[in-house]
Amino acid sequence: MEPIGDSSSSENNNTNSSGMMMISSASTSSMASSSSSPPALSRYESQKRRDWNTFGQYLKNHRPPLSLSRCSSAHVLEFLRYLDQFGKTKVHNQICPFYGHPNPPAPCPCPLRQAWGSLDALIGRLRAAFEENGGKPEANPFGARAIRLYLREVRDLQSKARGISYEKKKRKRPPPTLHQQGSSSSAAGVLPMPPSSSSGANQ
């Protein structure tokens, strides 16, 4: 006959081992579920998805509704002009006294438009989203010549009206490091002065 204490301890061991097995299996399943979850989208990818959904909604609300296969560069231009009503950039008319001033000192009745930089970035995202959603590059309406010309006109108009230059700035060269300064001075024939000895100074 086995002692009572031994039998209870063996039952406890069996219970503990089964409980640990359940915990380990649960943790394994939770790790598997967490590893299978999709990674978080970057800011660019999230914005691209929102832009693509917005354009798709615009096509649905179009009169008559348009499918993506029938969408042309003319419809993209309509979409860009439609977005102007939600713009927040003041674009002065030529008769406005603040025409050509980047920071006007007072308000004026000139309309608000989408900034050229925003439109340019939007077209870049939609152009990529079109091909990611099965569109052919040669049939991409966002890469059409008419879109490029429109963006160029908007850029030139806003640069004149707002007095802002959109030309690319030249990259500033980084300042030379200490090693480069030493090598350039030695190359120019400038050598460091030798330290003066105390005996030579006394003589």
Side-chain angles (χ1 to χ4, degrees), residues 92-196:
H92 303 286
N93 297 318
Q94 291 186 357
I95 60 175
C96 178
F98 303 137
Y99 183 84
H101 289 265
N103 299 309
C108 65
C110 293
L112 296 176
R113 296 284 186 259
Q114 291 286 345
W116 165 77
S118 300
L119 293 179
D120 187 57
L122 171 68
I123 289 299
R125 291 190 296 265
L126 290 176
R127 183 175 182 177
F130 177 85
E131 297 180 9
E132 291 173 2
N133 286 273
K136 296 181 179 180
E138 60 273 12
N140 195 330
F142 302 100
R145 184 173 181 269
I147 306 300
R148 295 195 300 270
L149 292 176
Y150 176 78
L151 291 176
R152 188 181 303 170
E153 290 176 0
V154 172
R155 182 192 64 183
D156 294 342
L157 172 65
Q158 292 190 7
S159 64
K160 294 176 182 178
R162 301 171 59 206
I164 298 175
S165 175
Y166 291 112
E167 298 298 330
K168 292 184 178 180
K169 296 181 179 179
K170 294 181 179 180
R171 292 183 60 185
K172 294 182 178 179
R173 293 184 178 180
T177 60
L178 189 61
H179 175 71
Q180 290 176 343
Q181 288 178 349
S183 61
S184 62
S185 62
S186 61
V190 180
L191 300 177
M193 294 291 293
S196 60

Side-chain angles (χ1 to χ4, degrees), residues 49-62 66 68 79 126 142:
R49 178 177 294 183
R50 287 194 296 268
D51 294 338
W52 184 249
N53 291 336
T54 301
F55 183 72
Q57 192 65 37
Y58 174 79
L59 294 181
K60 289 180 181 179
N61 296 336
H62 195 274
L66 287 170
L68 187 61
F79 176 66
L126 290 176
F142 302 100

